Amino acid sequence: MKLVFEKSVPCRQGLRIPERDVPAGNRLKKEYLRERPAGLPELSELDVVRHFTGLSRRNFGVDNNFYPLGSCTMKYNPKVCERLSSLPGFLYLHPLLPQLHSGGAFTQGALRVLYETDRMLREICGMAAFTMQPMAGAHGELTGIMMMAAYHRDRGNRKTTVLIPDSAHGTNPASAAAAGYTVKTVPSDESGCMSIAALKEMLTEQTAGIMLTCPNTLGLFNPHIKEVCELVHSVDGLAYCDGANLNAIVGKVRPADAGFDMVHVNLHKTFATPHGGGGPGAGPVGVVERLAGYLPVPLVVRQEDGTYALEYDHPKSIGCVSPFYGNFGVILRAYVYLLMVGREGLERIAENAVLNANYIKEKLKPYYEVPYPGLCKHECVISAVSQLHESGIHALDIAKALIDAGFHPPTMYFPTIVKEALMIEPTECESRETLDAFIEAMIDIAEKAKQEPQTLKAAPLTTPVGRLDETKAARQLNIACL
Amino acid sequence: MIDPEARYLRTHEWAKKEGGGIFSVGLSSYAVEQLGDIVYMELPQPGDTLEQSGTFGVVESVKAASDLYAPLGGEVLEVNQVVVENPDLLKEDPYEEGWLIKIKASNPSEFEDLMDAKEYKHFLETEAE
Amino acid sequence: MPYISNTDQQRAAMLAEIGLKPEDLFSDVPPELRCGGLNLPEGLSEQEVCSRLEAIASQNSASLRCFLGGGFYDHFIPSAVFALTGRSEFYTAYTPYQPEISQGMLQAIYEFQSMICRLTEMEASNASLYDGGTALYEAAMMALRLTHRSKVIVDDSVNPIYRTMIRSYLRNRNVDVELAETENAQGLANRSAILEALDEQTAAVIVQNPNFFGCIDDFSDLAAAVHSKGTLLIVSCYPISLGLLKTPGAMGADIVTGEGQSLGLPLSFGGPYLGFMATRSEYVRQMPGRIVGQTTDAKGRRGYVLTLQAREQHIRREKATSNICSNEALCALTALVYLCLLGKEGLQQTAQLCADKAGYAYERLTAIPGVRPHFPAQCWFNEMVLDLPCEAAEVTARLLERGYAAGFPLGRYYKGMNRSLLIAVTEKRTREEIEMLAEEIGAIVESLRSDIR
């Protein structure tokens, strides 16, 4: 498809700007003005609508079909959340309003949404307090590690190191490093969980804390999780729970009960807000009582008269990690979702997510290697190593063949400790019919890998472009049409 | 492909004697193969000092990045700009045209700490991933 | 549960087929860790939730006539923006990891990157960051990496919200970066204070245009001075103003960031917003966040992929340029659609309209006895600081009752500016609203004065 700039026709305009209804009173000095207008395209509204409708048709979302992208929890995004989040009372609310003297009265509804979402997340995670400021999961991690650093500074601890298992998401070590910590990688044992023996050996007085995904990125619930947290506590370290996989245990296990001191929740995963093609998300962080003083400000509180207000007076607070109160529009969608599903619904989510993942894993076992064959939680990891050895078919080829079958591929090559990994997360939403169709496609691909592997190498054939030359993209960098 | 003249680190960097305490340093063909098409390299400046087994740069492919470790400590004398501009040289000729840097070793005997070609071959067969 | 498709019968059959009983699904969780039910309300029907949310929304006053800015502006959003970004092929997708089925979002991001480069006159842009404040923090980190230095200077005419954020990020780390903050900007960046703090350890100088007071600056002189020390110049900017104003690129900025909310994103009580970042080609490898590049497939067809991924956390882990993963892709799409609809002329006209209306507001407001411009010597774009003869916070409080969000009292962030009010005027404000605001302020000022008398 042509670039939008290539469709530009001089003097076309897509929006009529109102006539000036005031005298021309502009006092801008010429030296402050740009030399030539910015090279924006000139298009009619119809041109713009056709262009972006065209682009949307070259994109694949959860609404198109099954999207089992492991660790991303691509569940259905209810339409009611979209509709209610666009009520004008929410959409056009200026964030500085409640910071004006007596301005809080004009934003009671929005503050209530923040307050009640916070309370529900506390209950779900077992934590004492939450901040809604972090704007994504990784942003929550950074916020958590900054609080970890503040905690240790406060206690006069000299800590330098954060421990992270080898199966972790890349954001964990990146967040710890962004907060100034050295990262040490703890190996997994043969069960797929963090090796307790290795952990014991690596724990020192320098250990600031640990970051763990629960259940972990192999989809496994570590039965020794409490012991891990206690070990970390024994050196005055803090245990951070990456809540990316909360969908597996929501309503069943509360991270605080497992011994964690902090947790971030990806609202765009567990609480069904749309991923937006890569964002926006939201990553509220919950903490236990002894860390509550470090949370970013402001916090939303409920006053004695039942009104909501912003509270800033927390001298130990780390400050602000976002300009206001987090990605309010995303939090609002999650709030609506929580009201819809309720207490019992949350438990059903975890049960169905786990059932769907185990169903896929068991059905694929005869055809693919399953490195951790026992019970999994919300996602399962299979490996294409046997396909690779028998016929040179990589996980990538299987992923591309799935595209031709109409499915979004699973996560590939992650976690890195599994060779030729395909990580499948079906979510609770999907029906048995959909799962069966996917399983059938996977079996068909396994057969093709044996019979006619070259057809898989050619996939996908049904898309507007074939496999793209990523080496060329990186070597002959073209990242803007100037 | 293993160069019999070179000696190796477990992280797949090689070093070869150029005479006068100077060593050329590169990346083994095994490592280059594992990385896939290399798209970018970050190498030190001439004059920088390196420690044995310390990092001296990064090679990046589309899907991976790998730190480079110095087989010997010393001062960087020369950096191969040709390979920086044409990373395919690493694949085509990893032990000659595809050298990365030349080092004036501060302690040339460190060369003896490295695996020789035979040991490296055995290492690849048994341990390397 | 409306969002679970399987029926009880289907679940039973599936369990039986894989040889499990319902209680087996969580048999790996030690019994003492099971929470045994949450203390939350039962789920509601869609109808009930709709009425509840409509009631909650009505407790917000989103219809105040808005002269409140401070970096976040009430601009008009064309209908087509909502229609196009509301297409679920975009908004229900994840990060475009599979390029063959994500060409829509990938091409859009490539176009967004191009648009940001064209707006700022820079060479390279990323696919978005969370917001303008985190973009500024990321720019500071990028400069620290590029220069291998340890100090950052921030001018106090930079948005105080962003300065608070940068302070929080830099102070709550386990390693120290020196943060030097200037004071007493007199409408423009405090050059003497910046140059005094500038030394061989300074990685970056951070300034803003138009600055928090709305004043327009030209940093060309500063860029030259900063570069002579090997330091980088970071400029935070307001994208609508770039419809008219000299660009950061033309001034010699090394890294440009900004808040993209004004480009078609609703104010939405603080987010989601859109951080953007652009830089020189030579620095692109140290730029954080995702980047989309153009390439071809085996048949030579043009396509787009995520590129330079080896900088990112999923490959480089603790050595990544940033920890960012989810960004604000849908907001970037929104900004792109908005800019396409406005086009070359439209953006210029919108910026001009903002400036003209603000100019008119200035005339009307400074005609009120006792109301004076705080920085009379400076040019400003669509936001201005006016000094009132009384506490600005008192005035804004009274105006709220009259249906006006009249501006932001500066006393909260700037010592001795309790009587200063920051007023923003966008193209949405009508002549009538401006005149009414002037009348209301005039009346309040008069009554407060007579109270004092």
Side-chain angles (χ1 to χ4, degrees), chain C residues 182-219:
Chain C
T182 65
E183 282 178 11
N184 296 321
Q186 283 305 308
L188 300 182
N190 188 346
R191 284 162 170 77
S192 60
I194 290 172
L195 296 179
E196 197 176 309
L198 185 68
D199 61 20
E200 307 293 335
Q201 266 316 307
T202 309
V205 169
I206 301 178
V207 289
Q208 179 177 320
N209 192 48
N211 64 29
F212 187 66
F213 309 118
C215 299
I216 303 170
D217 207 337
D218 180 348
F219 301 125

Short mmCIF file of all heavy atoms in Angstrom, two decimals, chain C residues 182-219:
data_model
loop_
_atom_site.label_atom_id
_atom_site.label_comp_id
_atom_site.label_asym_id
_atom_site.label_seq_id
_atom_site.Cartn_x
_atom_site.Cartn_y
_atom_site.Cartn_z
N THR C 182 17.99 24.90 37.37
CA THR C 182 18.15 26.36 37.42
C THR C 182 16.95 26.95 38.16
O THR C 182 15.95 26.29 38.39
CB THR C 182 18.20 26.95 36.02
OG1 THR C 182 16.93 26.73 35.40
CG2 THR C 182 19.29 26.30 35.18
N GLU C 183 17.07 28.20 38.53
CA GLU C 183 15.95 28.90 39.17
C GLU C 183 15.72 30.21 38.46
O GLU C 183 16.58 30.69 37.73
CB GLU C 183 16.28 29.17 40.65
CG GLU C 183 16.10 27.94 41.50
CD GLU C 183 16.47 28.19 42.95
OE1 GLU C 183 16.67 29.36 43.32
OE2 GLU C 183 16.59 27.19 43.68
N ASN C 184 14.54 30.78 38.74
CA ASN C 184 14.25 32.14 38.29
C ASN C 184 14.37 32.38 36.80
O ASN C 184 14.98 33.34 36.36
CB ASN C 184 15.18 33.15 38.99
CG ASN C 184 14.92 33.16 40.47
OD1 ASN C 184 13.76 33.06 40.88
ND2 ASN C 184 15.97 33.24 41.25
N ALA C 185 13.83 31.49 36.02
CA ALA C 185 13.77 31.78 34.60
C ALA C 185 12.92 33.03 34.44
O ALA C 185 11.84 33.10 34.99
CB ALA C 185 13.16 30.60 33.88
N GLN C 186 13.42 33.99 33.68
CA GLN C 186 12.62 35.20 33.47
C GLN C 186 11.90 35.10 32.14
O GLN C 186 12.11 35.90 31.23
CB GLN C 186 13.50 36.45 33.56
CG GLN C 186 13.86 36.81 34.99
CD GLN C 186 12.62 36.97 35.88
OE1 GLN C 186 11.70 37.71 35.54
NE2 GLN C 186 12.58 36.27 37.00
N GLY C 187 11.07 34.11 32.05
CA GLY C 187 10.30 33.94 30.81
C GLY C 187 11.01 33.07 29.80
O GLY C 187 10.40 32.31 29.11
N LEU C 188 12.32 33.18 29.74
CA LEU C 188 13.08 32.34 28.81
C LEU C 188 14.01 31.44 29.62
O LEU C 188 14.19 31.64 30.82
CB LEU C 188 13.90 33.21 27.85
CG LEU C 188 13.09 34.18 26.98
CD1 LEU C 188 14.02 34.93 26.05
CD2 LEU C 188 12.02 33.43 26.18
N ALA C 189 14.61 30.47 28.93
CA ALA C 189 15.54 29.58 29.62
C ALA C 189 16.63 30.42 30.29
O ALA C 189 17.14 31.36 29.69
CB ALA C 189 16.16 28.60 28.63
N ASN C 190 16.98 30.06 31.49
CA ASN C 190 17.94 30.83 32.27
C ASN C 190 19.36 30.51 31.81
O ASN C 190 20.05 29.66 32.37
CB ASN C 190 17.76 30.50 33.76
CG ASN C 190 18.58 31.39 34.64
OD1 ASN C 190 19.48 32.09 34.17
ND2 ASN C 190 18.27 31.38 35.92
N ARG C 191 19.78 31.23 30.77
CA ARG C 191 21.05 30.90 30.11
C ARG C 191 22.25 31.05 31.04
O ARG C 191 23.16 30.21 31.03
CB ARG C 191 21.23 31.74 28.86
CG ARG C 191 20.34 31.23 27.73
CD ARG C 191 20.16 32.27 26.66
NE ARG C 191 19.50 31.70 25.47
CZ ARG C 191 18.21 31.46 25.37
NH1 ARG C 191 17.40 31.67 26.40
NH2 ARG C 191 17.69 30.97 24.26
N SER C 192 22.27 32.10 31.83
CA SER C 192 23.47 32.29 32.65
C SER C 192 23.59 31.16 33.67
O SER C 192 24.68 30.63 33.91
CB SER C 192 23.46 33.66 33.32
OG SER C 192 22.31 33.77 34.15
N ALA C 193 22.46 30.75 34.25
CA ALA C 193 22.50 29.65 35.22
C ALA C 193 22.90 28.34 34.54
O ALA C 193 23.64 27.54 35.10
CB ALA C 193 21.16 29.51 35.92
N ILE C 194 22.38 28.13 33.34
CA ILE C 194 22.71 26.89 32.62
C ILE C 194 24.20 26.86 32.31
O ILE C 194 24.88 25.87 32.57
CB ILE C 194 21.88 26.78 31.31
CG1 ILE C 194 20.41 26.53 31.64
CG2 ILE C 194 22.43 25.68 30.42
CD1 ILE C 194 19.48 26.60 30.45
N LEU C 195 24.72 27.97 31.79
CA LEU C 195 26.12 27.98 31.39
C LEU C 195 27.05 27.88 32.61
O LEU C 195 28.12 27.29 32.54
CB LEU C 195 26.44 29.24 30.57
CG LEU C 195 25.67 29.28 29.23
CD1 LEU C 195 25.99 30.56 28.47
CD2 LEU C 195 25.97 28.05 28.36
N GLU C 196 26.58 28.41 33.72
CA GLU C 196 27.38 28.30 34.94
C GLU C 196 27.46 26.84 35.40
O GLU C 196 28.50 26.37 35.84
CB GLU C 196 26.74 29.15 36.03
CG GLU C 196 27.68 29.45 37.18
CD GLU C 196 27.01 30.39 38.17
OE1 GLU C 196 26.48 31.44 37.73
OE2 GLU C 196 26.97 30.04 39.35
N ALA C 197 26.35 26.13 35.28
CA ALA C 197 26.33 24.73 35.73
C ALA C 197 26.99 23.79 34.72
O ALA C 197 27.39 22.68 35.04
CB ALA C 197 24.89 24.29 35.99
N LEU C 198 27.08 24.25 33.48
CA LEU C 198 27.58 23.39 32.40
C LEU C 198 29.07 23.09 32.60
O LEU C 198 29.88 24.00 32.75
CB LEU C 198 27.38 24.13 31.06
CG LEU C 198 27.72 23.37 29.78
CD1 LEU C 198 26.75 22.22 29.55
CD2 LEU C 198 27.69 24.32 28.59
N ASP C 199 29.40 21.80 32.62
CA ASP C 199 30.81 21.44 32.75
C ASP C 199 31.11 20.17 31.96
O ASP C 199 30.26 19.68 31.23
CB ASP C 199 31.18 21.28 34.24
CG ASP C 199 30.37 20.18 34.92
OD1 ASP C 199 29.80 19.31 34.21
OD2 ASP C 199 30.28 20.19 36.16
N GLU C 200 32.32 19.66 32.12
CA GLU C 200 32.76 18.51 31.32
C GLU C 200 32.00 17.23 31.66
O GLU C 200 32.11 16.24 30.96
CB GLU C 200 34.26 18.26 31.52
CG GLU C 200 35.16 19.47 31.30
CD GLU C 200 35.17 19.91 29.84
OE1 GLU C 200 34.91 19.06 28.98
OE2 GLU C 200 35.43 21.11 29.59
N GLN C 201 31.30 17.24 32.78
CA GLN C 201 30.54 16.05 33.17
C GLN C 201 29.07 16.13 32.76
O GLN C 201 28.28 15.23 33.02
CB GLN C 201 30.65 15.84 34.69
CG GLN C 201 31.77 14.89 35.09
CD GLN C 201 31.84 13.65 34.22
OE1 GLN C 201 30.86 12.92 34.05
NE2 GLN C 201 33.00 13.39 33.63
N THR C 202 28.70 17.24 32.10
CA THR C 202 27.28 17.43 31.77
C THR C 202 26.89 16.66 30.51
O THR C 202 27.44 16.91 29.43
CB THR C 202 26.97 18.93 31.58
OG1 THR C 202 27.46 19.64 32.71
CG2 THR C 202 25.47 19.14 31.46
N ALA C 203 25.97 15.73 30.68
CA ALA C 203 25.51 14.94 29.54
C ALA C 203 24.49 15.71 28.72
O ALA C 203 24.50 15.64 27.49
CB ALA C 203 24.88 13.64 30.04
N ALA C 204 23.61 16.44 29.40
CA ALA C 204 22.52 17.08 28.66
C ALA C 204 22.01 18.31 29.38
O ALA C 204 22.05 18.40 30.61
CB ALA C 204 21.36 16.09 28.48
N VAL C 205 21.51 19.23 28.58
CA VAL C 205 20.76 20.38 29.08
C VAL C 205 19.33 20.22 28.55
O VAL C 205 19.14 19.97 27.36
CB VAL C 205 21.38 21.70 28.58
CG1 VAL C 205 20.46 22.87 28.87
CG2 VAL C 205 22.75 21.91 29.22
N ILE C 206 18.37 20.32 29.47
CA ILE C 206 16.98 20.11 29.09
C ILE C 206 16.22 21.43 29.15
O ILE C 206 16.19 22.10 30.18
CB ILE C 206 16.31 19.09 30.02
CG1 ILE C 206 17.05 17.75 29.96
CG2 ILE C 206 14.84 18.91 29.65
CD1 ILE C 206 16.48 16.68 30.89
N VAL C 207 15.60 21.79 28.03
CA VAL C 207 14.80 23.01 27.94
C VAL C 207 13.48 22.69 27.25
O VAL C 207 13.29 21.57 26.75
CB VAL C 207 15.56 24.12 27.17
CG1 VAL C 207 16.70 24.66 27.99
CG2 VAL C 207 16.03 23.61 25.82
N GLN C 208 12.59 23.65 27.20
CA GLN C 208 11.26 23.41 26.64
C GLN C 208 10.82 24.60 25.81
O GLN C 208 11.09 25.76 26.17
CB GLN C 208 10.28 23.18 27.79
CG GLN C 208 8.84 22.95 27.34
CD GLN C 208 7.91 22.65 28.51
OE1 GLN C 208 8.26 21.94 29.45
NE2 GLN C 208 6.71 23.22 28.46
N ASN C 209 10.11 24.35 24.70
CA ASN C 209 9.60 25.42 23.86
C ASN C 209 8.25 25.03 23.24
O ASN C 209 8.14 23.97 22.65
CB ASN C 209 10.58 25.72 22.72
CG ASN C 209 10.23 27.00 21.99
OD1 ASN C 209 9.98 28.02 22.63
ND2 ASN C 209 10.17 26.93 20.69
N PRO C 210 7.24 25.91 23.33
CA PRO C 210 7.16 27.02 24.24
C PRO C 210 7.31 26.49 25.66
O PRO C 210 6.92 25.35 25.92
CB PRO C 210 5.74 27.57 24.01
CG PRO C 210 5.30 27.01 22.71
CD PRO C 210 6.03 25.74 22.51
N ASN C 211 7.86 27.31 26.54
CA ASN C 211 8.12 26.78 27.87
C ASN C 211 6.85 26.74 28.72
O ASN C 211 5.76 27.04 28.23
CB ASN C 211 9.27 27.54 28.55
CG ASN C 211 8.92 28.99 28.78
OD1 ASN C 211 7.75 29.35 28.95
ND2 ASN C 211 9.93 29.83 28.79
N PHE C 212 7.00 26.36 29.98
CA PHE C 212 5.80 26.16 30.80
C PHE C 212 4.99 27.44 30.92
O PHE C 212 3.78 27.40 31.10
CB PHE C 212 6.20 25.66 32.20
CG PHE C 212 5.02 25.27 33.04
CD1 PHE C 212 4.23 24.18 32.70
CD2 PHE C 212 4.69 25.98 34.18
CE1 PHE C 212 3.13 23.82 33.45
CE2 PHE C 212 3.58 25.62 34.96
CZ PHE C 212 2.80 24.54 34.59
N PHE C 213 5.64 28.59 30.80
CA PHE C 213 4.93 29.87 30.89
C PHE C 213 4.30 30.26 29.56
O PHE C 213 3.72 31.33 29.43
CB PHE C 213 5.90 30.97 31.33
CG PHE C 213 6.69 30.62 32.56
CD1 PHE C 213 8.07 30.54 32.53
CD2 PHE C 213 6.04 30.36 33.77
CE1 PHE C 213 8.80 30.21 33.67
CE2 PHE C 213 6.76 30.03 34.91
CZ PHE C 213 8.13 29.95 34.86
N GLY C 214 4.47 29.40 28.55
CA GLY C 214 3.92 29.70 27.23
C GLY C 214 4.85 30.52 26.38
O GLY C 214 4.56 30.78 25.20
N CYS C 215 5.98 30.98 26.94
CA CYS C 215 6.88 31.87 26.20
C CYS C 215 7.66 31.11 25.13
O CYS C 215 8.04 29.95 25.32
CB CYS C 215 7.87 32.53 27.15
SG CYS C 215 7.06 33.54 28.39
N ILE C 216 7.90 31.82 24.02
CA ILE C 216 8.62 31.21 22.90
C ILE C 216 10.09 31.59 23.00
O ILE C 216 10.44 32.74 23.25
CB ILE C 216 8.05 31.72 21.56
CG1 ILE C 216 6.56 31.43 21.49
CG2 ILE C 216 8.79 31.07 20.40
CD1 ILE C 216 5.88 32.10 20.31
N ASP C 217 10.93 30.60 22.79
CA ASP C 217 12.37 30.80 22.89
C ASP C 217 13.01 30.27 21.61
O ASP C 217 12.39 29.51 20.86
CB ASP C 217 12.90 30.03 24.11
CG ASP C 217 14.16 30.66 24.70
OD1 ASP C 217 14.85 31.39 23.97
OD2 ASP C 217 14.42 30.39 25.89
N ASP C 218 14.24 30.70 21.36
CA ASP C 218 15.03 30.12 20.28
C ASP C 218 16.34 29.68 20.91
O ASP C 218 17.08 30.49 21.46
CB ASP C 218 15.29 31.17 19.19
CG ASP C 218 16.10 30.59 18.04
OD1 ASP C 218 16.65 29.47 18.19
OD2 ASP C 218 16.20 31.25 16.99
N PHE C 219 16.57 28.38 20.88
CA PHE C 219 17.71 27.83 21.60
C PHE C 219 18.97 27.70 20.76
O PHE C 219 19.91 27.02 21.14
CB PHE C 219 17.36 26.45 22.18
CG PHE C 219 16.17 26.47 23.11
CD1 PHE C 219 15.08 25.63 22.89
CD2 PHE C 219 16.14 27.33 24.20
CE1 PHE C 219 13.99 25.65 23.74
CE2 PHE C 219 15.05 27.36 25.05
CZ PHE C 219 13.97 26.51 24.83
#
